[in-house]
């Protein structure tokens, strides 16, 4: 280009010199003008030529810039083309896409440039930025985010116009943000992985966890270093057969269960964790217990799946377990199973019998008769020895499928499999009883050992096992202290007792809620028709108004300690009421109360009566205690002693229901009674039955000879009253004279009869 420019310049100068000579020759008079004109033309020509050159250069630069733009416009790395003095800036699409700036933005605001170009670009040190080709640079995008890149800057053009040099630079840089992030993330991961792997190996070692892995399809096992130490293996790989040989012979079946695992079994889903426990020989030549928790790992590339997992030594836990099991399930004294184990076994058996009704199990409960006496007289050590002997006998008498346990104190329980033989329970019990009878020991002194048993069929009920045990224990409880009893459970007896306990509960509440009240029935003097006394008869008035007669609840109360509470209530209430009537001016009468054998024999009845009289202020002669004939005969010596004590208080004593029991007049002679109550059963047929009449008058006569007064119960007709009066009976009690009535009514009755004695 510069040679063409020189040629043009030379041509212009040569051509102008020729024109100048021609003009000077043709117009010699105008030399001055011609020279001045020539110079003017020359200067203009040179100036024009120079201007052309500037024009030509700038056109070329523009052309190049355009070309660069076309080339870089759609390429992927970010491109920024820039003049060193920033008079020109262009960017490609990728630049705008990543950083958000257009070329116009950068041209308009130089601050933006500082955000996208390295500092070197602004320090007149272009070489530095050109050389710096591998330094990460974080450009700040238009939205403030950081984009990481490595600018690769080249000087693409240099030109000097009018002594001014222009440097055109092009920086190319990929958006490395994601890559860099990934890189640092990867570095972090690998660091963590390395750390965790270290930790993993360390924890495996510290926790003494071995790893065992069956090779896919192969017959070798990988054994971790830890497990090698645990099993005394010296290599990392061991053949299936060699590993199996280390297993306890009884546990090799367990080895086969996982070593043969292909991962193809229906129940063996990949990833499912299994756990097995086995014994294997250890370097000290003892068998240890191990637990292998493994899972199947299926691999598409190999036909057979592999299995792998952790192995831990659980010997200590096993030892603890068996000790705990022993402590939890074995009885210390007898070394046979205890109640816990018995209940567990029973529940399992019961579940089986429910599934399979053909299974025929019986439950027997055995109790050593009078064991507490042996314990008290021979000492606990001998008592314990006896328990152990009995346990051994019971165990030896078991038939196949049987199970025995000590379920508490001197109680043993046995489960037997009878296979349809209903006689077997009794046979076994008898065998046990006869073997126990043969226990002889100096330390047991003269005691002969017997035992009683209650038993029931397991399938007798559909409920839980504890109920089955309850039934056998209930049967046993019916032995009531009788030695060598054998009692089979009977549901009808049980039902009655259960009903009784329900009444008992209600009765306890009734006592608390004052639902028990006394009714009074008059006793009339047969000669005068005057009220001589009254019998206090208890009633239970339920909240709904229903009146429960004593026959329904007194027997239930008698089977528990409730009766003493009831009797005490009756005693106090009768005394209090009688005293009250005396205090309000009614003629004094005797009040009779009924006592049971429990009141009479098991409590200090004399003291109680004495205290009741003192507390209520009633004088003793106005109280009469009715005792039945059967009560007195239970323990006649004791009865006589007690009755004498009561009589000494000044209280009267009546023989109730005479004629229903032994009816022996000889007893009357020895019992310190003041009154004989002829039972209603004698009175009922007096009018039509001559024998009844004769018996009644004979009894009255004998009583009189013994200075015992008589009262007839259950008089319902005037005829009965007449006969009794004629027979010399002193008093009369019955509906004919007055039914049992509540206190307020009886008060009215007393008042009325004071002025109008009954007509007999
Ligand atoms: P009990 O001591 O022989 O009382 C007499 C029973 O005969 C009473 O029955 C009375 O209502 C009934 N009776 C009286 N006269 C006649 C009559 O003319 N005809 C008929 N059919 N019956 C008559 P109750 O009150 O039902 O008492 C029954 C038994 O309950 C009493 O026989 C007594 O043994 C016992 N009892 C009642 N109250 C008490 C009490 O507070 N404590 C105790 N331990 N037993 C009581
Ligand atoms: Mg009575
Ligand atoms: Mg009676």
């Amino acid at each position: 280009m510069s040679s063409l420019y020189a040629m043009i310049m030379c041509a212009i100068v040569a051509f102008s010199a020729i024109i100048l000579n021609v003009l000077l020759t043709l117009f010699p008079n105008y030399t001055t003008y011609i020279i001045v004109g020539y110079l003017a033309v020359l200067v203009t020509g040179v100036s024009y030529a120079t201007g052309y050159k500037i024009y030509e250069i700038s056109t070329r630069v523009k052309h190049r810039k355009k070309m660069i733009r076309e080339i870089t416009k759609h390429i992927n790395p970010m491109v920024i083309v820039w003049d060193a003095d920033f008079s020109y800036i262009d960017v490609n699409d990728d630049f705008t896409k990543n950083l958000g700036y257009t070329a116009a933005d950068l041209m308009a605001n130089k601050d933006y440039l500082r955000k996208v170009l390295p500092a070197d670009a602004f320090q007149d040190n272009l070489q530095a930025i050109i050389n710096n080709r591998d330094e990460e640079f974080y450009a700040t995008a238009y939205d403030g985010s950081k984009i990481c890149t490595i600018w690769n800057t080249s000087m693409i053009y240099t030109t000097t116009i009018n002594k001014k040099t222009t440097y055109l630079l092009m920086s190319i840089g990929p958006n490395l943000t994601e890559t860099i992030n990934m890189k640092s993330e990867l570095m972090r991961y690998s660091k963590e992985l390395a750390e965790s792997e270290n930790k993993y190996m360390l924890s495996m070692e510290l926790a003494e966890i071995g790893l065992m892995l069956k090779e896919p399809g192969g017959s070798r096992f990988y054994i971790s270093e830890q497990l090698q130490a645990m099993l005394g293996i010296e290599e990392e790989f061991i053949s299936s057969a060699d590993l199996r040989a280390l297993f306890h012979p009884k546990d090799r079946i367990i080895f086969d269960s996982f070593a043969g695992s292909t991962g193809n079994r229906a129940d063996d889903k990949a990833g499912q964790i299994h756990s097995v426990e086995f014994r294997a020989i250890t370097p000290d030549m003892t068998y240890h217990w191990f637990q292998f928790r493994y899972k199947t790992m299926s691999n598409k590339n190999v036909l057979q799946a592999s299995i792998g997992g952790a192995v831990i030594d659980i010997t200590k836990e096993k030892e603890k377990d068996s000790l705990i099991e022993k402590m939890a399930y074995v009885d210390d004294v007898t070394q046979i199973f205890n109640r816990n184990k018995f209940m567990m076994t029973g529940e399992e058996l019961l579940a089986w019998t429910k599934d399979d009704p053909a299974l025929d199990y019986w439950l027997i409960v055995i109790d050593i008769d009078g064991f507490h006496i042996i314990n008290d007289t021979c000492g606990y050590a001998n008592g314990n020895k006896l328990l152990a002997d009995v346990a051994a006998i019971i165990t030896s008498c078991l038939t196949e499928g049987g199970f025995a346990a000590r379920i508490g104190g001197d109680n043993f329980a046995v489960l037997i499999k009878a296979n349809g033989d209903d006689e077997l329970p009794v046979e076994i019990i008898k065998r046990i009883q006869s073997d126990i009878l043969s226990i002889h020991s100096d330390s047991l002194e003269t005691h002969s050992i017997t035992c009683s048993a209650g038993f029931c069929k397991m399938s007798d009920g559909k409920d839980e096992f504890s109920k089955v045990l309850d039934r056998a224990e209930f049967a046993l409880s019916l032995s009531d202290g009788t030695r060598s009893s054998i009692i089979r459970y009977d549901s009808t007896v049980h039902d009655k007792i259960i009903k009784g306990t329900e009444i008992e509960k209600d009765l306890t509440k009734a006592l608390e809620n004052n639902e028990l009240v006394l009714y009074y029935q008059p006793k009339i003097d047969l000669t005068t028709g005057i009220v001589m006394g009254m019998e206090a008869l208890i009633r239970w008035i339920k909240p709904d108004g229903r009146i429960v007669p004593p026959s329904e609840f007194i027997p239930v109360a008698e089977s528990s300690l409730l009766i003493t509470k009831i009797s005490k209530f009756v005693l106090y209430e009768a005394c209090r009421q009688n005293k009250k009537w005396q205090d309000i001016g009614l003629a004094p009468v005797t009040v009779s109360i009924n006592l049971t054998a429990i009141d009479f024999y098991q409590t200090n009845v004399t003291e109680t009566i004495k205290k009741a009289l003192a507390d209520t202020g009633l004088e003793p002669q106005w109280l009469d205690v009715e005792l039945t004939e059967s009560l007195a005969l239970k323990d006649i010596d004791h009865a006589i002693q007690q009755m004498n004590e009561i009589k000494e208080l000044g209280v009267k004593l009546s023989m109730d229901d005479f004629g229903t029991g032994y009816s022996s007049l000889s007893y009357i002679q020895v019992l310190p009674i003041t009154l004989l109550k002829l039972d209603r059963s004698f009175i009922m047929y007096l009018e039509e039955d001559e024998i009844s009449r004769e018996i009644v008058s004979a009894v009255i006569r004998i009583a009189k000879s013994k200075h015992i007064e008589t009262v007839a119960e259950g008089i319902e007709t005037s005829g009965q009253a007449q006969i009794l009066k004629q027979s010399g009976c002193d008093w009369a009690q019955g509906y004919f004279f007055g039914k049992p009535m509540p206190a307020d009514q009886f008060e009215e009755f007393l008042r009325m009869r004071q002025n109008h004695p009954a007509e007999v």
Side-chain angles (χ1 to χ4, degrees), residues 521 535 538-539 550 594 596 656-657 680 713-714 716 735 740:
Q521 188 178 28
E535 182 174 9
I538 197 161
R539 300 288 180 269
N594 294 277
T596 66
D656 201 356
D657 301 342
R680 184 172 157 257
E713 285 187 277
E716 293 184 351
Y735 293 171

Side-chain angles (χ1 to χ4, degrees), residues 495-545:
D495 289 348
K496 264 192 206 159
I497 293 193
I498 284 174
K499 197 174 168 226
T501 48
E502 276 163 17
I503 295 178
E504 199 180 306
K505 273 190 222 150
D506 291 352
L507 201 52
T508 312
K509 275 195 215 138
L511 253 173
E512 288 161 9
N513 300 342
N514 302 321
E515 287 170 25
L516 298 182
V517 293
L518 292 187
Y519 274 38
Y520 298 91
Q521 188 178 28
K523 287 181 183 173
I524 306 289
D525 185 330
L526 273 173
T527 39
T528 61
I530 293 171
V531 179
M532 300 298 293
M534 62 219 166
E535 182 174 9
L537 296 160
I538 197 161
R539 300 288 180 269
W540 177 2
I541 303 181
K542 294 250 181 163
D544 61 6

